[in-house]
Amino acid sequence: MGAWIAKNRTTVIVSVAVIVAAYAFYYLKNDIAPSMYVSAWGYAIPLVLAALVGVIGERSGVVNIGIEGQMLVAAFAGFFAAAYSGSLLVGVLAGIGSGLILGGFLAWTTVKWRMDQIIAGVVLNIIATGITSFYYQPGQLLPGLMPKFDIWPLSKIPLIGEVFFSGTSIFATLAILAAIGVHVALFHTRWGLRTRAVGEYPSAADTAGINVERLRLINVTLAGTLAGCAGVYLSMDASSSFERGMVAGRGFLALAIMIMGAWRPLRALAMAIFFGFINAVASQLQAGGSIDIPPQLTGTLPFVVTIVVLAIAAGRVRAPGAVGQPYVKGDQ
Amino acid sequence: MSETPTVADQAAAPPPSSGGTSGDKKPAQPLAYLLTHQSGVVILVALAIALLVGAALIRYQGVSPWYAYETIIREALLVDGGLTRTLQKTAPLVLTGLAVVIPLRVGLFNIGGQGQLIFGAMFGAWVAYAAGGLGFLGALCGMVAGMVAGAFIGWIAGVLKATRGVHEVITTIMLNYIAAGVTWWLVTGPLQAEGSKTSGIPQTELIPDAARVGAVAGIPIGFVIALALAIACWWMLSRTTLGFKLNTVGANKHAARYAGININRIIALSMVFGGGLAGLAGALEAAGTLHRFEPAIGGTLGFDGITIALLARANPLATIPAALLVGILRTGAPGLQFATGIAPEVVDLLLAIILLMVSIPVLGKWIFRSRADKVAAASTSWGN
Amino acid sequence: MSTPENTPTPVPADTAPEHLEAIATSDAVLELPPEKSGFGEGNVGEVLLDLAGLTKSFGSVRANRDITMHVRRGEIVALLGENGAGKSTLVNQIFGLITPDSGTVTVKGDSTPIKDPRDAIARGIGMVHQHFQLVPVMTVAENMILGHEPTRGGAVLDLDSAREMVRSLSAKHGLPVDPDAEVEDLPVGTQQRVEILKALSRSVDLLILDEPTAVLTPQETDELLGVMKELAASGTSIVFITHKLREVLAVADRVYVLRQGAVVGEVATKDTDARGLATMMVGREVVLSIDKADATPTDTVLTITDLHVLDDRELGAVNGFTLSVRAGEIVGVAGVEGNGQRELVEALAGMRKVVSGQMTLGDLDLTKANPHQTHHAGVGHIPEDREKHGLVASYSIADNLVLNEFDQAPYSKSGVRQFDAIREHAEAVRTEFDIRSSGVQQSAGSLSGGNKQKVVVAREMAFKPRLLMAAQPTRGVDVGSIEFIHRRIVDARDAGAAVLLVSAELDEILSLSDRIAVVHGGKVVAELPARGADRTEIGRLMAGDH
Amino acid sequence: GCGGSTGSSESSAPAGSAAPGAPTDDSNCADEAVFCIGLVTDTGKVDDKSFNQSAHEGALEAQKQTNGFYKYIETQDAKDYAANMAQFTNKKYDAIVTVGFLMTDATLEAAKANPGTRFIGVDQGYDPAAVPGKNVTGLIFPEDQAGYGAGYLAGLMTKTNKLGQVLGLEIPPVQKFAKGFEAGAKAANPAVTVTTVYHPAGDNAFNDPVWGAGEAKKQLAQGADIIFGAGGNTGNGALQEVAKAKGAGTEVFCIGVDTDQWDTVPAAQPCLITSAMKLITEGVTETLVTAKDGDFAENQTLGKAGLAPFHDFESVIPADVKAKVDEVVKQMEAGTLQTGVTL
Ligand SMILES: Nc1ncnc2c1ncn2[C@@H]1O[C@H](COP(=O)(O)OP(=O)(O)OP(=O)(O)O)[C@@H](O)[C@H]1O
Ligand SMILES: Nc1ncnc2c1ncn2[C@@H]1O[C@H](COP(=O)(O)OP(=O)(O)OP(=O)(O)O)[C@@H](O)[C@H]1O
Ligand SMILES: [Mg+2]
Ligand SMILES: [Mg+2]
């Protein structure tokens, strides 16, 4: 423990400082702070899920800029499957399934066909926009609401319980569990070691007897399910409708979150919440009306803050070494 | 067979030796290769497959594919003024394509074309209006202003990348939002046209006639500028020492440093170039199409630029046919809906399929039973 | 099992470049009496590995032609050949990294094709690759267990037992490494040690070592040779690739010599010597020790005073380094790798910030100069890592030859590159430095290692530098090319250049230098004339024993 | 309203459609007897549940009533407005509907170039000096009045004296609704505070229900008990969020916009007390029908705006509140009450 703290001094200091500040604000501005935290977390949920898709893909050596498209199709498929079948479960499964299929598409084209990963992602996004717009149907309704619940006893913790564990939903809970799960899996399991090796230095993995192509195929495909969850969350949980273009750039923001999180799941979780919080601050500035800043300018706050924070603090985070490159064995 | 360089090999970012010194081989001329080389055939086959898939899609809508394609071609090229409109649409696409190509050569992925363009359009429109009294000179000022504004946005991303190591993908995404917000604020506030203040319409003053960029004999001047810049970019990249520096940084940063190249400056410069080109695209849209700034001026030009750069495999000259293809499809789409009722999104699907087909490296293998074709490596720059 | 054939395969005249044609037909090619072949020393047993008719082409390059060879249990077989002869290609086929065009690989009687490394590992083959196959951002322990991870409950990594494994392996083979160190932070010699331990971490019947000693110090090399002998004694077969004949003679039982992708000879080491092996490889006599005139040094060109430089981890690497080099002399910097040599050279080349101290070239201050300025001040720099710093692989030879002069006349006029001038320059240099390629437009990345190095050497010498810095100039280069590069370095000295030679190769230092500076801990611990220098004394100084 | 979604607006259906006995194609539009209607959307689609859809439905209805022919083009790029209108004028369409204030200038120019064609610009207020002739009318709506009425109702209903508005992009029609709402609320209840958030500029400002829902949730948490959702699907997201909240329909309420959203957003029914309506569909139909008959109000047509029925909340809203709101609405219609909204 002591050694871990020594090794991660900056992380520990930053985390403690952030947590202290968060509680201070919570107790000092009790009229608005809780709602801002809730809003921040609500904003962060799809970003976390989507950023994890990016993390898994890039840790395996595959850039996924098609997350936006994966989410869009999943939101579409989930919503309409639920509407037509009359079952939320069917919708959720359809959404996750569509994420899986698109993950498979990205995996197959980039790994098997060695298509440029950026191009594959761009293609995926265009197709997703086209299809969901083309086959959009107005006037459909979800058969019901996604369940909300409290996670006792965590929900009793001041602030944290209120924000993360009460009145929460499956996907909100999943976002936390997935971030922890992917972190543990990536850094503490056999799969994770192999995945990181494949993403950093595939020929080292290959010569160690690891099937690089297969691992990449599996990872990128399965990560699609998380993109599916993010999409389903948007159309079935955070709102109850599907609209064209409703992902509204969240897939790309997730990539930014992934990079800000230095390709680490828990850090990405922290960054998504941070980003969500700045968003809440931005709309609070607008709503508060005390200072008269045009909403267009307050709206840019999260983006300005992100850039400034990165410029001051970030320094050089390093992408997985082999990201973007198809693995070609010696003789091909 | 695999010994001869293919289009892809030549165009891959960065290209081997940027053409040039060849005594025994032809220099990299994508158009020539397109016509004479194996990859040219691969591209044609890819296009044909894409059109067939598109045909199936259109058929499924209950419309004759033949009629649909004919309509697009007719609307985009044959009807009165169609060609002019197509070229008008192509011009900014060439530029936003180049705005992605140049940083890509240095190993940077500029997805900020949209923001750079919007910013360029805003300031281009404003300066052209303010300097409208100068006539032609005013138009020129507008274009320079647009370029500078776009370049400024690009420069921010470039400098942060070079000096602070902030990933350009983050900054360019963020700057897209910031540019949209700032221009929106300007156009509803300080720079809003006097006449629009009561109605609240977000638009700037109209650029006076004399300072607009029109067309000569049906050829938009903007298109000529875009063509000239595409050729200039190609020349710069393949023939000049500056191009050599850009390519070298993209090919091997360490070697570039060793060779005495100031990497940071080149990285920032490439983004300045990219931003400037996108900004110019915006200024041209303002001066040539809408004659003022409106927030919707950018359309999807910035993001189309990515598609075009990838279609062109990071080759400046190839952005011309790639942009023309997009221009034709987009110009023909409304006419297609008018004639057949097919929603214009079909064109995006078509474009996606074309990009997919053209970019499948194994397609060449399937056709020629030869080694897999190498495709421009956009994503190999991602990790840097 | 029949005795494998070993008739040398003549190089087909139609594809061989002229300059090699003479070699192929020269009588220097050794033909061995059949009865002698296949029997080395030691406890050799049955044939473990049998290659029959292996052929592999890359496009028009025929990297391996009809190769037939075998290795017996407990035998150490060396593969010798010039750069690009096809050694790595051959062993990569045994390890399943490359699929042969034709021919069979039989391991322990099983001749089903080896699909991939996984397959090779399953059959008891281990390999140390020519290029490191280590994940730089992972720890030694993590690298070591990759592919055969100890786990708890089948999924969770058991890093404790991994560390334990590293420690016990280290101890057993006398190759110390820290299991928790991140690989990218380690000096190359240590990385190589990790590679070797990694290969030994799985029990193997056949161990392939592709130039494992290229980056090792003499001591480390000796340790490795010891390990190899032990392994062979316990029944492990070893295929050993190296360019250093001393090592071949020290451990190998038999040697196969490759040229132009074909086996041109096979010999038992007890029947040959260094000169014989070199001749077999290159096809002519090779001068193994350079004969040079005494130095006639004149003015001091380079003065380094109390220099301090940090490494990538911001730790002091060069700590108070003081040295001067005069025109017309070669000063060799001897030292175990990782004692600040790399940082010193990079600082001199303007690629690394100087913390304090001073460097001057004549009366020019280089302390704050950037690479551009140092180059134009007359500093030639043959970098240690040619693939990373020295070359742009995707560029042509011609472009690489003007990599740091590209914006100078006559290669550029007002910012426009002059391709005719560039080509003419390249043609001339290519002839002068004997760069073997299809032409000056061939991409540098497709050259063999020795020829890549020649491109770098040629570029740095062509502009007649006042100071030539050569860092590990012959690493991984075959004997023929070593001879050539050494000759050129001495020529540069004789033409009046000051030469700073940095090498981990003590032999190289001893044979080339006029003066030797031994470094340890980032500073010079002794300066002595090369003539009459004592190997063991220098070795002791290098180890920090002073 | 566009309630009941007749399916007439499926995007995959051919754009041209005809009632029985009506012309089946546009080859005879030049013919006096054949009434051809064209519609050009703002960048958006005819099933956007917003102004494009309303106008589209109005045009469809007009086609039925006039026994004419109707076709639309969905604009993808703001720079195509002129070209898209030209598709119709080339075929000598009789009336062209252009949707959205962004097309103001383009519509005037097309009207100038095609004096024989009648143009109806939805949400377009023209400067009388710029209007080229009698063939163009801007169909505008007193959104501020609808907003005022809704705000007045909300001001009387609120228990917490806190109201919220979740809005789309900050553009004139939306601003008028919002400022009207605030003015009405303050007029009814000076103690009230109104929290207003516009979607930050972006391409999807009207298509981001997730953002709308998030903002609504936040405003509820900060004590607002009535939320006005005005901004296409973004606003709808807010309505749906309120409908899911604890106390929906008893303690917290929502107010819709544009059409009677009781029909268009059924998921909002648990909280939807009324909608601030702007009757684009009816306006477009009526204007087109009069256009066919020839008596076309040049320059400007004032469409209707008002409050939608209370539906299930008829019994929830106290009678005196209803009476007061009724009174205010009547005064606005009569012109005796000004909302005081300027942009
Ligand atoms: N910049 C940051 N701001 C706030 N919290 C952070 C930041 N970086 C990391 N954290 C938090 O610190 C904790 C540890 O993160 P880190 O990524 O360092 O894990 P780790 O040390 O690798 O964990 P393990 O010991 O399980 O391998 C996490 O809870 C993470 O959310
Ligand atoms: N993947 C490849 N593609 C094309 N050519 C290759 C490839 N790998 C090797 N070659 C070529 O095959 C020949 C043999 O290369 P190989 O690496 O086997 O040589 P080597 O004997 O190991 O040389 P060195 O001593 O420099 O390591 C060389 O001409 C090389 O350029
Ligand atoms: Mg850590
Ligand atoms: Mg080799």
Side-chain angles (χ1 to χ4, degrees), chain A residues 62 106-115 213 216-217:
Chain A
V62 179
L106 189 78
W108 195 266
T109 50
T110 56
V111 176
K112 280 290 178 186
W113 291 351
R114 298 196 191 120
M115 202 167 134
E213 289 202 346
R216 285 186 171 179
L217 271 176

Side-chain angles (χ1 to χ4, degrees), chain D residues 220-236:
Chain D
L220 290 176
Q222 293 180 8
D225 60 353
I226 302 177
I227 306 263
F228 180 38
N233 294 314
T234 303
N236 295 350

Side-chain angles (χ1 to χ4, degrees), chain D residues 306-317:
Chain D
L307 286 189
F310 305 126
H311 298 281
D312 289 2
F313 288 91
E314 198 72 53
S315 55
V316 178
I317 300 169

Side-chain angles (χ1 to χ4, degrees), chain B residues 157-244:
Chain B
V159 152
L160 288 177
K161 169 83 177 188
T163 61
R164 307 291 312 160
V166 185
H167 204 296
E168 77 280 2
V169 167
I170 301 187
T171 39
T172 50
I173 290 177
M174 301 286 155
L175 284 166
N176 279 343
Y177 286 99
I178 294 173
V182 170
T183 52
W184 185 272
W185 166 68
L186 286 172
V187 77
T188 51
L191 298 185
Q192 189 169 28
E194 274 313 312
S196 306
K197 287 218 157 108
T198 47
S199 59
I201 300 178
Q203 55 191 17
T204 59
E205 302 283 359
L206 272 176
I207 300 171
D209 272 331
R212 294 180 187 178
V213 179
V216 174
I219 308 286
I221 294 170
F223 181 71
V224 178
I225 295 176
L227 274 195
L229 280 172
I231 294 168
C233 284
W234 169 78
W235 182 80
M236 185 272 285
L237 283 172
S238 62
R239 295 279 188 267
T240 67
T241 52
L242 178 62
F244 188 81

